[in-house]
Structure formats: structure tokens, C-alpha cells
Amino acid sequence: QVQLVESGGGLVQPGGSLRLSCAASGRIFSINDMGWYRQAPGKERELVASITSRGTANYADSVKGRFTISRDNAKKMVYLQMNNLKSEDMDVYYCYVDDWVYGRIWGQGTAVTVSS
């Protein structure tokens, strides 16, 4: 069974930074895309950033220039560096991986709180 475990969420002041990490474990065959979504209560989950197996990144317009996604294929990890955080970034962040056999696998979510 494949599991994703996120870490790095927490409380940060506006303008601050956080780095989210997501580690995949278990019987993973081959990972294609990896990425991060976020979701606020009562709202739909939205894509924040994704990265292909070759390292091509894609970002939501709202985070371009502030967030950076990266991955370590050998460690089966994906990261999200978040800088200049704003109150509107306050959400639960979910990582995902697209495995060629199992399809999309989700993490359990990690909360990001932006408050002074």
C-alpha cells in the first residue's frame, strides 16, 4: 500500500516562509506528476503547483513568484517552498503523486496558518 506523509505546516506571520515536504512510501511503481493542492473549509480543492517527472513546474497564478515546487525522485519526495505568505494562503495543503499503476494518491493534509 502506498502512503504519502506531509510535514512542514504550521503557524507563520504574514510575509513569512514555510517549506512543506511530502514523502511517498510503499509499493510505488513509477511516479509521473507530483504536486500540491490546497483547500479551505467549504471550498473546492485547488491546484497550487505541480511538477512532472522531468522537473517541469506549473503554478497557480496566485502563487507564482512566491512558491517553488521541487522533487527528489530518488527519495520519492516533493517539496513546496512558500515565501511571502499571505492570509489568503491559509489552507490545508495536500500533496499528491500520480503513479502509473495506482493512479492519483493523496496525502492526509497539513495545515498552514498565516496570522500575526
Side-chain angles (χ1 to χ4, degrees):
Q1 189 166 351
V2 180
Q3 284 188 322
L4 299 183
V5 177
E6 295 128 333
S7 60
L11 173 64
V12 65
Q13 292 184 344
S17 298
L18 282 176
R19 187 189 193 217
L20 305 183
S21 299
C22 175
S25 63
R27 195 175 180 183
I28 299 171
F29 288 87
S30 181
I31 296 175
N32 190 9
D33 289 2
M34 307 176 80
W36 295 87
Y37 275 73
R38 65 187 180 187
Q39 186 172 26
K43 294 187 177 182
E44 291 188 357
R45 195 172 289 189
E46 65 167 347
L47 178 66
V48 177
S50 63
I51 185 167
T52 69
S53 58
R54 295 188 176 187
T56 300
N58 178 58
Y59 298 94
D61 288 341
S62 59
V63 307
K64 283 180 181 177
R66 300 187 297 122
F67 291 11
T68 303
I69 189 171
S70 60
R71 63 189 283 171
D72 185 326
N73 291 329
K75 295 181 178 179
K76 298 183 179 67
M77 293 193 69
V78 61
Y79 307 95
L80 186 68
Q81 177 66 43
M82 306 186 293
N83 298 329
N84 190 21
L85 282 159
K86 305 175 181 180
S87 57
E88 52 262 43
D89 297 316
M90 186 164 62
D91 280 321
V92 177
Y93 285 71
Y94 299 87
C95 71
Y96 74 89
V97 301
D98 289 334
D99 182 82
W100 285 108
V101 173
Y102 295 114
R104 180 155 294 185
I105 303 162
W106 292 95
Q108 81 285 357
T110 185
V112 172
T113 302
V114 183
S115 176
S116 56

